[in-house]
Amino acid sequence: MFLRMMESGVPVCHTCGEHVGLNVNGEPFVACHECNFPICKSCFEYDLKEGRKACLRCGSPYDENLLDDVEKATGDQSTMAAHLSKSQDVGIHARHISSVSTLDSEMTEDNGNPIWKNRVESWKEKKNKKKKPATTKVEREAEIPPEQQMEDKPAPDASQPLSTIIPIPKSRLAPYRTVIIMRLIILGLFFHYRVTNPVDSAFGLWLTSVICEIWFAFSWVLDQFPKWYPVNRETYIDRLSARYEREGEPNELAAVDFFVSTVDPLKEPPLITANTVLSILALDYPVDKVSCYISDDGAAMLTFESLVETADFARKWVPFCKKFSIEPRAPEFYFSQKIDYLKDKVQPSFVKERRAMKRDYEEYKIRINALVAKAQKTPEEGWTMQDGTPWPGNNPRDHPGMIQVFLGYSGARDIEGNELPRLVYVSREKRPGYQHHKKAGAENALVRVSAVLTNAPFILNLDCDHYVNNSKAVREAMCFLMDPQVGRDVCYVQFPQRFDGIDRSDRYANRNTVFFDVNMKGLDGIQGPVYVGTGCVFNRQALYGYGPPSMPSFPKSSSSSCSCCCPGKKEPKDPSELYRDAKREELDAAIFNLREIDNYDEYERSMLISQTSFEKTFGLSSVFIESTLMENGGVAESANPSTLIKEAIHVIGCGYEEKTAWGKEIGWIYGSVTEDILTGFKMHCRGWRSIYCMPLRPAFKGSAPINLSDRLHQVLRWALGSVEIFLSRHCPLWYGFGGGRLKWLQRLAYINTIVYPFTSLPLIAYCSLPAICLLTGKFIIPTLSNLASVLFLGLFLSIIVTAVLELRWSGVSIEDLWRNEQFWVIGGVSAHLFAVFQGFLKMLAGIDTNFTVTAKAADDADFGELYIVKWTTLLIPPTTLLIVNMVGVVAGFSDALNKGYEAWGPLFGKVFFSFWVILHLYPFLKGLMGRQNRTPTIVVLWSVLLASVFSLVWVRINPFVSTADSTTVSQSCISIDC
């Protein structure tokens, strides 16, 4: 059916799978002219009856003329019922079927794989079993009289959408957009004045300032316009339960595989990782649908032993959480809450059981602390397990792959006899001479292991220090991913990051509130938020490199024997991109062939894998390749657990990814330390969209480095990753233009994420200008005329009004906005500057920079880490700027006192400029001063030295006194008899 629809050239309805139909002009029916979201007339009328008058994809309101026409027309109710039944048959996660040809009849290679043949047969049986209940249900309803069907129908909420878009009110958004346009016009007039009025006496300073201001304006455009369509979303968890958790029927919620990655347990405390694991195991979600995979990339026995203890404690903790519905379900953070824990609790036994559980947790903490104390000193002969055998990971850079299943279907049950979610320890194989690709490589290893063992259709990855704060977080994500109207094109659902343990004033903008509450909302109205590395629920099929189901495939070239494709242009500009799209089309074609598997004999079935080059894409594992074809996930019922474990060990081998597409087209993408941005960017280029989910109770919470040095090193790592992407083939400036699947505003946002470190160069120059002007007596702006004064005043007012209106629609506080501005300057003149140079050294000269994992404090009520000053070279540039500007202010006032009243007018502008720099660097200055520890001597010495040299050079080049005055002074000095 899908093949006929696509060959006809008429778009297919995204909801029901039927043709969208034609309008009165004979053209395909289009409901939304903003994004051309394919929806047929019947489904469109149904949406209007339900009160939805905005596009499901982009949130734009429908055309009023179209609404009037539909309201006048009469809809056929029976047609709508047929559409709804067909949409369920198509399936929630049905992949797009390509129109390419079937098997090549001339294949004669004798490389059929009997294991693959058996796997395909078992997959076919499992798929038929999954389809059988739906068919039976339809037949059963057909046999029941209409009167009885009306009585047995579920609640109305079950058929309603699981989420809705809440547009920002026009009363708030219209003034905001108007001010942005006015600010653009004022910027144009401002630069016309600046360029046409040079300062001849300080031409170098004037030219530098103009170049810096042009770059700042360019950066503002990149940051501002992706916020043009901000939206809010609302989810309906009760409707999700009504649709997929019907009483008396099997639970139909999709399974989820959780990924938690850790490296060094001495820097990432095992207790923090354990709390993350416990919060996952205690989720408000069916236990048979949850599997938790822990990636130990350091192969540490401490991590393994702490998981043994955690699995044992989970047998008590999980039933306690579910019995009393406590939040959050990470014990460390639950017991440390300073709230009334008896609120909303009605069971008499709660207090007694809570005290017992707290005592059990404290005993568990002591056992974990004992393991940590024991691991502080490694024995000379290495670690030994309890049975006396050496620990395989004694050499973290040379060890075999390790997998251990602690809990699960055949594992231990909780103290009440109930089943627990599966908990799996994974440490991939590492050998010298192989590229392991750090976190991205570890995540890809988990993708393959989970596909072999559980193969859930969705993946949620978390950092080890991000625990589940909202037990219904997965249900929130499923409201998007399992909605037939929304979820088919969604590659991932991103949650905002929220943090514990940050000082009240958030001195170093650790919360990133402006980014998560403003920028990400704006992106959600375009093509979706960027992937930020944690707290994200992925569609597994998107990680495998496939395109979204609704996106039309590129037609195959008839003049070429290989699979080439054309992105809608006669002369494609990017052959490599066409080749990649062709490979994806081959995989789509193979899936179509497997759907029609009954049409082939046994030999043709065994040859399918060779015909489509699955092994070259996914690697040499028939079990894993079979799992990629199961759109709804699951493992073959006939699979032997011991065989699956062996296969899982095989897919985490260090040589498995060689000569495959892993890290290039599928999985987490390699090539940058910020693999998150790169991975999300590739998905958006394929036409997927992402969703931003902000539940009232934060879904996840983590810890952030509140110490100044640690915070700067964290920002340095992010900025270095952006520079690496800028210098790679995946740079948004030129990558992904062939198919036209990445929207322009989305591209602007990605360009902003990779060019922002380069702002450090004009920023550090601009922050030096006030001191230079004060030391030399010159200025970058000529004497202001009335018109120039109006322009400057208008520019400042537009900046202020833009910020105020942005705060109005986003709900961000002015303090968060100011902290963000301050740390933008602090990070720009320190971490971003070093990232630019290190990025060029790494990409052009091959000099790699290793980063240590930021230490996370388990608990610190007094924020002691905030006041510790740690030595780092990143502290030198901002400290130098502070000293130079302070010296400049003193020199400026001294010079004005000597020259008299007429010198105070020009001094005001220079001092204001200098105070602007000092005010932005004030949190940095407070961090240097500390509370108990003094600033490191080396920082003070280097900063004073650089400031002194800088000042003396400028005094030597352009002294305060004029040439005539200096000659007079020299002669008077000669006449003095010493």
Side-chain angles (χ1 to χ4, degrees):
M1 180 182 71
F2 266 44
L3 190 59
R4 292 196 305 270
M5 290 179 184
M6 294 186 60
E7 287 176 347
S8 66
V10 180
V12 177
C13 177
H14 197 283
T15 302
C16 64
E18 292 292 335
H19 292 288
V20 298
L22 304 177
N23 58 18
V24 293
N25 298 325
E27 299 176 350
F29 175 75
V30 178
C32 177
H33 295 282
E34 293 290 335
C35 64
N36 295 328
F37 183 64
I39 184 172
C40 65
K41 290 183 179 179
S42 300
C43 295
F44 178 64
E45 293 172 3
Y46 178 77
D47 286 346
L48 295 182
K49 291 178 181 178
E50 295 296 326
R52 296 187 294 273
K53 297 186 178 182
C55 178
L56 290 171
R57 172 182 287 176
C58 66
S60 302
Y62 292 128
D63 186 6
E64 295 182 0
N65 296 329
L66 185 62
L67 295 177
D68 295 338
D69 294 341
V70 173
E71 289 175 357
K72 293 177 182 178
T74 57
D76 188 355
Q77 300 297 330
S78 61
T79 306
M80 176 55 64
H83 284 323
L84 292 175
S85 63
K86 289 178 182 178
S87 67
Q88 294 177 358
D89 293 339
V90 171
I92 300 170
H93 313 294
R95 191 192 288 116
H96 164 65
I97 306 301
S98 178
S99 58
V100 296
S101 60
T102 58
L103 279 173
D104 188 354
S105 60
E106 297 181 359
M107 293 183 62
T108 57
E109 295 180 11
D110 189 16
N111 56 354
N113 191 334
I115 299 179
W116 168 255
K117 206 162 40 176
N118 296 334
R119 289 290 177 192
V120 172
E121 287 297 329
S122 63
W123 166 76
K124 172 191 169 186
E125 293 175 2
K126 185 173 181 64
K127 185 175 180 181
N128 290 337
K129 288 181 181 179
K130 288 186 175 182
K131 286 187 175 181
K132 187 175 180 181
T135 306
T136 306
K137 182 179 178 181
V138 173
E139 293 174 353
R140 184 173 67 249
E141 289 183 354
E143 296 173 359
I144 300 176
E147 296 81 3
Q148 190 174 348
Q149 283 189 23
M150 293 295 293
E151 296 176 0
D152 296 341
K153 278 188 176 180
D157 285 347
S159 61
Q160 294 181 1
L162 305 180
S163 64
T164 185
I165 295 176
I166 305 177
I168 305 296
K170 291 185 177 180
S171 60
R172 296 185 178 183
L173 209 54
Y176 176 66
R177 292 172 175 172
T178 303
V179 171
I180 291 174
I181 299 300
M182 291 178 59
R183 184 171 170 182
L184 268 180
I185 297 172
I186 294 173
L187 272 175
L189 297 174
F190 171 78
F191 284 121
H192 178 267
Y193 168 79
R194 293 285 280 132
V195 172
T196 56
N197 291 271
V199 182
D200 296 329
S201 60
F203 186 80
L205 298 179
W206 167 83
L207 182 62
T208 301
S209 65
V210 170
I211 294 174
C212 293
E213 289 162 0
I214 291 175
W215 178 266
F216 295 151
F218 171 70
S219 299
W220 172 76
V221 169
L222 292 180
D223 179 71
Q224 186 65 67
F225 279 90
K227 296 182 283 190
W228 193 259
Y229 298 105
V231 297
N232 292 314
R233 295 182 185 271
E234 185 176 354
T235 56
Y236 306 102
I237 298 179
D238 52 342
R239 298 179 185 177
L240 180 77
S241 298
R243 182 178 297 186
Y244 296 107
E245 294 182 294
R246 297 175 181 175
E247 187 176 355
E249 298 183 13
N251 193 303
E252 297 180 357
L253 286 176
V256 181
D257 288 337
F258 283 78
F259 293 173
V260 180
S261 56
T262 182
V263 181
D264 188 349
L266 298 180
K267 295 179 179 178
E268 299 168 320
L271 191 62
I272 290 181
T273 305
N275 272 270
T276 300
V277 172
L278 289 169
S279 67
I280 293 172
L281 298 179
L283 273 173
D284 181 12
Y285 207 71
V287 293
D288 59 325
K289 308 285 187 178
V290 176
S291 300
C292 181
Y293 293 84
I294 311 299
S295 171
D296 179 16
D297 224 28
M301 187 172 171
L302 173 58
T303 302
F304 181 84
E305 290 182 331
S306 65
L307 279 181
V308 175
E309 294 288 347
T310 302
D312 184 62
F313 178 71
R315 298 177 61 246
K316 304 175 184 178
W317 175 250
V318 173
F320 172 76
C321 293
K322 295 188 175 182
K323 180 178 180 180
F324 298 107
S325 302
I326 67 168
E327 296 284 359
R329 300 191 176 181
E332 181 68 27
F333 301 95
Y334 170 69
F335 289 120
S336 62
Q337 288 183 119
K338 298 179 181 179
I339 60 173
D340 180 14
Y341 63 85
L342 296 178
K343 186 179 181 181
D344 300 329
K345 298 295 184 292
V346 296
Q347 296 95 327
S349 62
F350 173 68
V351 175
K352 182 179 178 181
E353 293 191 35
R354 185 183 185 276
R355 289 173 181 171
M357 183 56 60
K358 187 174 183 180
R359 183 177 62 253
D360 290 339
Y361 176 64
E362 290 172 349
E363 294 174 355
Y364 162 75
K365 283 179 66 174
I366 291 175
R367 294 194 296 271
I368 296 294
N369 292 336
L371 293 175
V372 174
K374 176 184 173 183
Q376 295 298 321
K377 186 177 181 181
T378 305
E380 295 182 359
E381 66 278 5
W383 298 107
T384 305
M385 293 187 289
Q386 292 182 355
D387 58 359
T389 58
W391 171 248
N394 277 323
N395 186 347
R397 298 183 180 180
D398 186 4
H399 64 84
M402 295 178 283
I403 295 178
Q404 176 65 47
V405 181
F406 290 106
L407 303 172
Y409 313 122
S410 60
R413 294 178 177 265
D414 64 27
I415 58 176
E416 297 180 358
N418 299 318
E419 189 177 307
L420 288 168
R422 179 174 292 188
L423 177 62
V424 184
Y425 170 86
V426 179
S427 182
R428 56 181 173 145
E429 181 187 16
K430 286 191 175 181
R431 303 295 181 191
Y434 287 90
Q435 274 282 358
H436 300 295
H437 303 289
K438 300 180 180 179
K439 180 183 176 181
E443 296 287 351
N444 284 338
L446 290 183
V447 171
R448 297 190 294 271
V449 169
S450 62
V452 172
L453 296 181
T454 51
N455 195 32
F458 301 110
I459 293 171
L460 195 159
N461 83 295
L462 289 172
D463 288 343
C464 66
D465 60 332
H466 277 68
Y467 65 91
V468 181
N469 183 65
N470 184 347
S471 62
K472 299 184 184 295
V474 176
R475 294 177 180 269
E476 296 275 355
M478 291 303 120
C479 287
F480 301 106
L481 294 168
M482 297 190 69
D483 191 330
Q485 297 180 336
V486 179
R488 298 177 65 194
D489 284 350
V490 176
C491 54
Y492 60 82
V493 175
Q494 178 66 61
F495 290 89
Q497 291 186 20
R498 303 299 188 213
F499 300 98
D500 286 320
I502 297 177
D503 58 299
R504 186 174 300 176
S505 63
D506 192 15
R507 180 185 295 178
Y508 307 124
N510 283 283
R511 292 190 178 93
N512 286 324
T513 307
V514 174
F515 174 75
F516 287 112
D517 290 12
V518 180
N519 296 70
M520 296 286 265
K521 282 184 180 180
L523 291 176
D524 198 19
I526 307 171
Q527 201 171 342
V530 298
Y531 168 44
V532 297
T534 183
C536 186
V537 186
F538 283 97
N539 182 340
R540 188 182 284 267
Q541 297 300 319
L543 283 171
Y544 289 156
Y546 298 110
S550 65
M551 188 64 64
S553 64
F554 294 144
K556 293 189 72 177
S557 174
S558 59
S559 61
S560 175
S561 59
C562 64
S563 296
C564 297
C565 58
C566 177
K569 296 183 180 181
K570 295 183 179 180
E571 296 181 1
K573 298 181 179 180
D574 190 352
S576 63
E577 189 171 338
L578 301 184
Y579 174 78
R580 291 191 294 272
D581 286 327
K583 285 298 180 185
R584 288 195 289 270
E585 187 176 312
E586 286 182 2
L587 297 180
D588 285 343
I591 292 161
F592 172 75
N593 291 334
L594 287 172
R595 290 175 187 274
E596 305 294 330
I597 200 168
D598 290 331
N599 299 333
Y600 307 122
D601 57 27
E602 293 185 2
Y603 177 75
E604 289 174 326
R605 295 174 192 171
S606 65
M607 295 297 289
L608 278 174
I609 184 173
S610 301
Q611 184 258 349
T612 55
S613 302
F614 272 95
E615 291 181 349
K616 293 181 181 179
T617 303
F618 294 113
L620 298 172
S621 172
S622 58
V623 178
F624 173 73
I625 293 173
E626 176 210 353
S627 71
T628 66
L629 306 175
M630 299 181 181
E631 298 166 7
N632 295 323
V635 180
E637 295 179 358
S638 59
N640 186 347
S642 60
T643 304
L644 292 181
I645 290 294
K646 292 180 180 178
E647 193 69 21
I649 291 289
H650 167 62
V651 298
I652 59 173
C654 56
Y656 182 85
E657 294 183 355
E658 288 191 349
K659 298 181 180 179
T660 67
W662 284 101
K664 302 172 186 174
E665 296 299 322
I666 60 177
W668 271 257
I669 306 301
Y670 304 149
S672 171
V673 294
T674 51
E675 70 288 329
D676 45 6
I677 294 177
L678 205 51
T679 302
F681 174 62
K682 294 275 284 188
M683 292 181 181
H684 284 137
C685 286
R686 296 187 187 112
W688 292 94
R689 70 156 294 120
S690 54
I691 297 290
Y692 196 48
C693 183
M694 296 182 66
L696 293 178
R697 180 179 179 86
F700 310 100
K701 280 191 175 182
S703 59
I706 63 173
N707 177 264
L708 175 60
S709 301
D710 291 339
R711 172 68 166 145
L712 290 178
H713 274 286
Q714 182 188 56
V715 174
L716 172 63
R717 180 182 178 276
W718 296 341
L720 178 60
S722 296
V723 175
E724 289 174 343
I725 297 174
F726 178 82
L727 298 174
S728 71
R729 69 184 183 91
H730 291 116
C731 178
L733 287 170
W734 52 73
Y735 182 85
F737 280 97
R741 298 179 174 184
L742 187 68
K743 296 185 178 180
W744 278 100
L745 288 180
Q746 191 79 16
R747 184 177 296 278
L748 280 183
Y750 275 111
I751 292 175
N752 187 41
T753 62
I754 58 105
V755 302
Y756 78 89
F758 296 95
T759 306
S760 60
L761 299 175
L763 184 60
I764 199 167
Y766 209 69
C767 290
S768 303
L769 288 177
I772 297 173
C773 293
L774 288 167
L775 292 172
T776 59
K778 299 177 180 179
F779 201 40
I780 58 176
I781 300 174
T783 303
L784 294 180
S785 61
N786 292 334
L787 176 61
S789 301
V790 171
L791 283 177
F792 275 90
L793 182 61
L795 183 60
F796 279 114
L797 287 178
S798 65
I799 293 173
I800 295 172
V801 173
T802 304
V804 170
L805 293 177
E806 195 166 86
L807 298 180
R808 187 164 173 257
W809 66 254
S810 66
V812 176
S813 68
I814 191 170
E815 183 182 9
D816 289 327
L817 181 66
W818 174 237
R819 292 298 185 205
N820 182 75
E821 288 293 321
Q822 286 180 311
F823 198 79
W824 176 75
V825 175
I826 294 172
V829 299
S830 56
H832 298 172
L833 181 67
F834 279 79
V836 171
F837 290 107
Q838 290 182 0
F840 275 97
L841 286 175
K842 180 178 181 180
M843 302 301 291
L844 302 180
I847 301 175
D848 198 359
T849 305
N850 294 322
F851 291 96
T852 57
V853 179
T854 304
K856 282 100 176 174
D859 56 346
D860 193 348
D862 295 329
F863 306 109
E865 278 286 320
L866 180 67
Y867 304 101
I868 298 176
V869 182
K870 302 177 183 178
W871 158 246
T872 173
T873 53
L874 299 179
L875 301 178
I876 294 177
T879 306
T880 303
L881 283 175
L882 275 170
I883 295 176
V884 167
N885 277 278
M886 289 179 181
V887 171
V889 170
V890 174
F893 275 105
S894 301
D895 188 50
L897 288 172
N898 292 332
K899 290 185 177 179
Y901 177 78
E902 66 277 359
W904 288 95
L907 177 66
F908 175 77
K910 302 173 188 177
V911 171
F912 174 80
F913 197 7
S914 189
F915 271 118
W916 177 88
V917 176
I918 296 173
L919 196 60
H920 277 78
L921 293 176
Y922 179 68
F924 177 84
L925 180 61
K926 288 184 66 177
L928 281 183
M929 302 306 295
R931 183 175 64 179
Q932 298 172 348
N933 299 25
R934 294 181 300 175
T935 303
T937 306
I938 187 67
V939 174
V940 177
L941 290 177
W942 271 103
S943 302
V944 172
L945 178 62
L946 289 176
S948 302
V949 171
F950 187 75
S951 303
L952 289 174
V953 167
W954 274 98
V955 170
R956 177 67 181 86
I957 294 175
N958 197 347
F960 292 123
V961 294
S962 63
T963 306
D965 293 338
S966 62
T967 305
T968 305
V969 171
S970 301
Q971 292 177 354
S972 62
C973 289
I974 294 173
S975 63
I976 297 175
D977 187 5
C978 298

